[in-house]
Amino acid sequence: MRRLLHALTGAALFAAAGLTALATPNVASAADCTPAQVVANGGFESGSSPWTAPSGAITADSGQSAHAGSSYAWLDGYGSTHTDTLSQSVALPTGCGTATLGFWLHVDTAETTASTAYDKLTVKLGSTTLATYSNLDAQAGYVHKTVDVSAFAGQTVTLAFTGVEDSSLQTSFVLDDVTLDASGGTTPPQPGDPTRTPAAPGYTVDLTSDASGGSWTGHESVTFTNASPTPLNEVYLRLWDNWHGSCPSTPITVTNVTGGTPAPLSVNCTALKVTLPAPLAQGGSGTVGFDLAITVPSGADRFGRDGAFNFIGNALPVLAIRDAAGWHLDPYTNNGESFYSVASDFTVTLDHPSGLLVPATGTSVDTPGAAGRTVTKATASKVRDFAWGAGPFTRISGTSAAGVKVNVYSVAGISAADAKSMLSTATSAVDAHAQRFGAYPYGELDAVIDNNFWFGGMEYPGFVLDLVSTTALTHEIGHQWWYGIVGDDEYNSPWLDEAFTDYATDLALGKTGNGCWNSVSWASSAEKITNSMAYWDANSSRYSTVVYGYGKCALHDLRRTIGDTAMTTLLRNYAQAHWYGVSTTAEFKAAAQAATTVDLTSFWSQHRIDG
């Protein structure tokens, strides 16, 4: 969730001349690197080969559960002196500048200590210890772990997980979906990874509300294509707002599924696996449909109800992504975002009482419905999600200098002067960001203003929730580019949208960030700008400081390192190259290096930007 920064640095905007698109710098060929995922059977679905493991360690036993699929590796858990080792030989290709080990780890324990590591899991590549975990890392579910192993490029080494228990009180180390991705030669990896699937989703939704706009029922269908050479046997729908309920009693209900066979809800009722009737080959298309019911809970939240006003974000089930790391089934986080999706098309029809205004993602057209009702049809192309509101809002509208229609919807208690101020902020911000990164492509922009939002602000494509705050609204509108147009995996790489958006906000508001990197103080050696939400949920007091504050200061520092003109060109070209695509840390680092003759190796290390 997008939090307001309490300390904003800088004084004046650097001169941003030359903002027209420039040619991408010439770079050498990356033919010396063949990107590869080198761990075989990392999901343990094909038996034990080529792993070396104790008998029974690779299992589908009901005593634990898989992160995805049905099988996993279970080390230790005996409650007595015991050692289990899981290993396989891996060959990292030569010439690849980036290699990342990733795995999902679940630790459960009978140990009661909060300070002593009695039982330990050690992760090694060759003779090098990469990471150590213990009974102190126990959590209710899986946590995704990543380790930079770029130094092993060109080597054939043994990857090993070794769990050691002491003489009493069991600790289980459960592993699944192990990957080791090597990529990144001398050319930035190109966007549009062909293994990112399902691709090109098209959502069609028809919903009818009750008198309050807080309860909706109807039907949703999604058509998709398998972009991967690996057959698609199933898809997962993310029912994100079920986090707000008490599983299995949930505010989002899916019934009467067609186009596949649904499994029981998983991941705290936020994931619904649908097995397809037959494997979908590369280029093949499928459609899944279902009846949908939504009940908005009380509370001024991104999915919530504040008096007569409903805010309905993340309520439509959307497809999860499968990529080289497997299915992304991360848990919901209330501290930030878990959302990772490809650009999609939405056609959403909302039948509601005429007394309710319904701001929404996309371009909306209202037509008369049954007596006393209005049908709002919203269409949106190349967006990552769809959100809307419903209530007796007060609306004012305007048009930015570049021609973008902006609507400000205010709840009761927002003054006319504040609404007008937010309209002025929004029209200025949308043009400022567009000038730097590329024209706003979504037609109109709706801003919903409520000073009761505890989280400051929240972004969806073409639709933002916010307080009366120039800084916060400029930030949320910046997310239309950094998350909306240039996507990212928000759970595993939150800095790619938050830091970039806060940097863009500084520029739009005339803040240079001079000297802000000088105030950096790390809480531990494990703290990095590029940490995932799993880390930040465990260290929530540091999330805003590091991801927003240190992240944007690192980008200001990068600008000072490579020069204003180079940084301006880099970000515009990077946005254009990833337009409607997905950004990764490795791609941005490679693009930044290609934009300058300065060796940035020490820069990334100093600023703790891994990946």
Short mmCIF file of all heavy atoms in Angstrom, two decimals, residues 222-248:
data_model
loop_
_atom_site.label_atom_id
_atom_site.label_comp_id
_atom_site.label_asym_id
_atom_site.label_seq_id
_atom_site.Cartn_x
_atom_site.Cartn_y
_atom_site.Cartn_z
N VAL A 222 -12.56 -14.87 -18.49
CA VAL A 222 -11.25 -14.42 -18.94
C VAL A 222 -10.75 -15.37 -20.02
O VAL A 222 -10.76 -16.59 -19.85
CB VAL A 222 -10.25 -14.32 -17.77
CG1 VAL A 222 -10.12 -15.62 -16.99
CG2 VAL A 222 -8.88 -13.87 -18.30
N THR A 223 -10.35 -14.79 -21.14
CA THR A 223 -9.74 -15.53 -22.24
C THR A 223 -8.24 -15.23 -22.24
O THR A 223 -7.83 -14.10 -22.00
CB THR A 223 -10.37 -15.11 -23.58
OG1 THR A 223 -11.76 -15.42 -23.55
CG2 THR A 223 -9.73 -15.84 -24.74
N PHE A 224 -7.42 -16.24 -22.51
CA PHE A 224 -5.97 -16.10 -22.39
C PHE A 224 -5.28 -17.02 -23.38
O PHE A 224 -5.89 -17.92 -23.95
CB PHE A 224 -5.52 -16.44 -20.96
CG PHE A 224 -6.04 -17.77 -20.48
CD1 PHE A 224 -5.35 -18.95 -20.72
CD2 PHE A 224 -7.25 -17.83 -19.80
CE1 PHE A 224 -5.83 -20.17 -20.30
CE2 PHE A 224 -7.77 -19.05 -19.38
CZ PHE A 224 -7.06 -20.22 -19.62
N THR A 225 -3.98 -16.78 -23.55
CA THR A 225 -3.15 -17.57 -24.46
C THR A 225 -1.94 -18.08 -23.71
O THR A 225 -1.40 -17.39 -22.83
CB THR A 225 -2.69 -16.70 -25.65
OG1 THR A 225 -3.84 -16.22 -26.35
CG2 THR A 225 -1.81 -17.48 -26.61
N ASN A 226 -1.49 -19.27 -24.04
CA ASN A 226 -0.25 -19.78 -23.47
C ASN A 226 0.92 -19.30 -24.33
O ASN A 226 1.07 -19.72 -25.48
CB ASN A 226 -0.25 -21.31 -23.41
CG ASN A 226 1.05 -21.85 -22.81
OD1 ASN A 226 1.76 -21.12 -22.12
ND2 ASN A 226 1.35 -23.11 -23.07
N ALA A 227 1.74 -18.42 -23.76
CA ALA A 227 2.89 -17.89 -24.50
C ALA A 227 4.13 -18.77 -24.36
O ALA A 227 5.12 -18.56 -25.05
CB ALA A 227 3.22 -16.49 -23.99
N SER A 228 4.08 -19.74 -23.49
CA SER A 228 5.26 -20.54 -23.17
C SER A 228 5.33 -21.82 -23.99
O SER A 228 4.30 -22.41 -24.31
CB SER A 228 5.24 -20.90 -21.68
OG SER A 228 6.23 -21.85 -21.36
N PRO A 229 6.55 -22.28 -24.31
CA PRO A 229 6.67 -23.58 -24.97
C PRO A 229 6.28 -24.74 -24.05
O PRO A 229 6.03 -25.84 -24.51
CB PRO A 229 8.15 -23.65 -25.37
CG PRO A 229 8.84 -22.67 -24.48
CD PRO A 229 7.86 -21.59 -24.21
N THR A 230 6.23 -24.47 -22.74
CA THR A 230 5.78 -25.49 -21.79
C THR A 230 4.26 -25.50 -21.76
O THR A 230 3.64 -24.45 -21.57
CB THR A 230 6.32 -25.20 -20.39
OG1 THR A 230 7.75 -25.16 -20.44
CG2 THR A 230 5.88 -26.26 -19.40
N PRO A 231 3.62 -26.64 -21.95
CA PRO A 231 2.15 -26.68 -21.94
C PRO A 231 1.58 -26.10 -20.65
O PRO A 231 2.19 -26.19 -19.57
CB PRO A 231 1.84 -28.17 -22.07
CG PRO A 231 3.04 -28.75 -22.75
CD PRO A 231 4.22 -27.98 -22.23
N LEU A 232 0.41 -25.53 -20.77
CA LEU A 232 -0.29 -24.94 -19.63
C LEU A 232 -1.38 -25.92 -19.21
O LEU A 232 -2.35 -26.13 -19.94
CB LEU A 232 -0.87 -23.59 -20.03
CG LEU A 232 -1.35 -22.66 -18.92
CD1 LEU A 232 -0.20 -22.24 -18.02
CD2 LEU A 232 -2.01 -21.42 -19.54
N ASN A 233 -1.19 -26.53 -18.05
CA ASN A 233 -2.16 -27.52 -17.57
C ASN A 233 -3.24 -26.92 -16.68
O ASN A 233 -4.30 -27.52 -16.52
CB ASN A 233 -1.43 -28.62 -16.78
CG ASN A 233 -0.44 -29.37 -17.62
OD1 ASN A 233 -0.78 -29.88 -18.69
ND2 ASN A 233 0.80 -29.45 -17.17
N GLU A 234 -2.94 -25.76 -16.11
CA GLU A 234 -3.87 -25.13 -15.20
C GLU A 234 -3.61 -23.63 -15.20
O GLU A 234 -2.59 -23.15 -15.72
CB GLU A 234 -3.71 -25.67 -13.77
CG GLU A 234 -2.43 -25.26 -13.05
CD GLU A 234 -1.22 -26.08 -13.42
OE1 GLU A 234 -1.39 -27.29 -13.66
OE2 GLU A 234 -0.11 -25.53 -13.48
N VAL A 235 -4.55 -22.88 -14.66
CA VAL A 235 -4.34 -21.47 -14.38
C VAL A 235 -4.73 -21.24 -12.92
O VAL A 235 -5.43 -22.06 -12.31
CB VAL A 235 -5.17 -20.55 -15.31
CG1 VAL A 235 -4.71 -20.69 -16.74
CG2 VAL A 235 -6.66 -20.80 -15.17
N TYR A 236 -4.26 -20.14 -12.38
CA TYR A 236 -4.63 -19.74 -11.02
C TYR A 236 -5.30 -18.37 -11.08
O TYR A 236 -4.78 -17.45 -11.71
CB TYR A 236 -3.41 -19.66 -10.11
CG TYR A 236 -2.87 -20.99 -9.65
CD1 TYR A 236 -1.98 -21.70 -10.44
CD2 TYR A 236 -3.25 -21.52 -8.42
CE1 TYR A 236 -1.47 -22.93 -10.01
CE2 TYR A 236 -2.74 -22.74 -7.98
CZ TYR A 236 -1.86 -23.43 -8.78
OH TYR A 236 -1.36 -24.64 -8.35
N LEU A 237 -6.43 -18.25 -10.42
CA LEU A 237 -7.07 -16.96 -10.22
C LEU A 237 -6.70 -16.44 -8.84
O LEU A 237 -6.74 -17.19 -7.85
CB LEU A 237 -8.59 -17.10 -10.33
CG LEU A 237 -9.14 -17.47 -11.70
CD1 LEU A 237 -10.59 -17.91 -11.58
CD2 LEU A 237 -9.03 -16.28 -12.66
N ARG A 238 -6.32 -15.16 -8.79
CA ARG A 238 -6.03 -14.55 -7.49
C ARG A 238 -7.24 -13.78 -7.01
O ARG A 238 -7.67 -12.81 -7.64
CB ARG A 238 -4.82 -13.62 -7.58
CG ARG A 238 -3.50 -14.28 -7.95
CD ARG A 238 -3.17 -15.54 -7.17
NE ARG A 238 -3.21 -15.43 -5.73
CZ ARG A 238 -2.15 -15.24 -4.93
NH1 ARG A 238 -0.96 -15.11 -5.49
NH2 ARG A 238 -2.28 -15.19 -3.63
N LEU A 239 -7.79 -14.20 -5.90
CA LEU A 239 -8.92 -13.54 -5.25
C LEU A 239 -8.36 -12.72 -4.10
O LEU A 239 -8.52 -13.05 -2.92
CB LEU A 239 -9.94 -14.58 -4.76
CG LEU A 239 -10.83 -15.29 -5.80
CD1 LEU A 239 -10.02 -16.12 -6.79
CD2 LEU A 239 -11.85 -16.17 -5.10
N TRP A 240 -7.65 -11.65 -4.45
CA TRP A 240 -6.82 -10.94 -3.49
C TRP A 240 -7.59 -10.46 -2.26
O TRP A 240 -7.08 -10.52 -1.13
CB TRP A 240 -6.14 -9.76 -4.16
CG TRP A 240 -5.03 -10.13 -5.07
CD1 TRP A 240 -4.97 -9.97 -6.42
CD2 TRP A 240 -3.79 -10.75 -4.71
NE1 TRP A 240 -3.78 -10.44 -6.92
CE2 TRP A 240 -3.03 -10.93 -5.90
CE3 TRP A 240 -3.24 -11.19 -3.49
CZ2 TRP A 240 -1.77 -11.51 -5.91
CZ3 TRP A 240 -1.98 -11.77 -3.50
CH2 TRP A 240 -1.26 -11.92 -4.69
N ASP A 241 -8.81 -9.98 -2.47
CA ASP A 241 -9.52 -9.37 -1.34
C ASP A 241 -10.04 -10.38 -0.33
O ASP A 241 -10.58 -9.99 0.71
CB ASP A 241 -10.66 -8.50 -1.86
CG ASP A 241 -10.15 -7.16 -2.36
OD1 ASP A 241 -9.06 -6.74 -1.93
OD2 ASP A 241 -10.83 -6.54 -3.20
N ASN A 242 -9.87 -11.67 -0.59
CA ASN A 242 -10.24 -12.65 0.44
C ASN A 242 -9.33 -12.58 1.65
O ASN A 242 -9.64 -13.16 2.69
CB ASN A 242 -10.25 -14.06 -0.15
CG ASN A 242 -11.54 -14.34 -0.89
OD1 ASN A 242 -12.49 -13.56 -0.81
ND2 ASN A 242 -11.60 -15.44 -1.61
N TRP A 243 -8.22 -11.86 1.53
CA TRP A 243 -7.39 -11.61 2.72
C TRP A 243 -8.19 -10.85 3.77
O TRP A 243 -7.94 -11.00 4.97
CB TRP A 243 -6.16 -10.80 2.33
CG TRP A 243 -5.28 -10.47 3.49
CD1 TRP A 243 -4.27 -11.23 4.02
CD2 TRP A 243 -5.33 -9.27 4.29
NE1 TRP A 243 -3.68 -10.58 5.09
CE2 TRP A 243 -4.32 -9.38 5.28
CE3 TRP A 243 -6.13 -8.13 4.27
CZ2 TRP A 243 -4.09 -8.39 6.22
CZ3 TRP A 243 -5.91 -7.14 5.21
CH2 TRP A 243 -4.89 -7.27 6.18
N HIS A 244 -9.16 -10.04 3.31
CA HIS A 244 -9.93 -9.22 4.23
C HIS A 244 -10.97 -10.02 5.00
O HIS A 244 -11.57 -9.51 5.94
CB HIS A 244 -10.62 -8.09 3.46
CG HIS A 244 -9.66 -7.12 2.83
ND1 HIS A 244 -9.22 -5.99 3.48
CD2 HIS A 244 -9.06 -7.12 1.62
CE1 HIS A 244 -8.38 -5.33 2.69
NE2 HIS A 244 -8.27 -5.99 1.56
N GLY A 245 -11.22 -11.25 4.59
CA GLY A 245 -12.17 -12.08 5.30
C GLY A 245 -11.48 -13.02 6.26
O GLY A 245 -10.30 -12.87 6.58
N SER A 246 -12.21 -13.99 6.74
CA SER A 246 -11.65 -15.01 7.62
C SER A 246 -11.86 -16.34 6.92
O SER A 246 -12.93 -16.93 6.98
CB SER A 246 -12.35 -14.98 8.98
OG SER A 246 -11.84 -15.99 9.83
N CYS A 247 -10.83 -16.78 6.21
CA CYS A 247 -10.91 -17.99 5.39
C CYS A 247 -11.46 -19.16 6.23
O CYS A 247 -10.95 -19.38 7.34
CB CYS A 247 -9.51 -18.31 4.86
SG CYS A 247 -9.41 -19.71 3.75
N PRO A 248 -12.51 -19.87 5.80
CA PRO A 248 -13.09 -19.88 4.46
C PRO A 248 -14.29 -18.94 4.26
O PRO A 248 -14.96 -19.03 3.23
CB PRO A 248 -13.52 -21.33 4.32
CG PRO A 248 -13.97 -21.71 5.68
CD PRO A 248 -13.01 -21.00 6.61
#
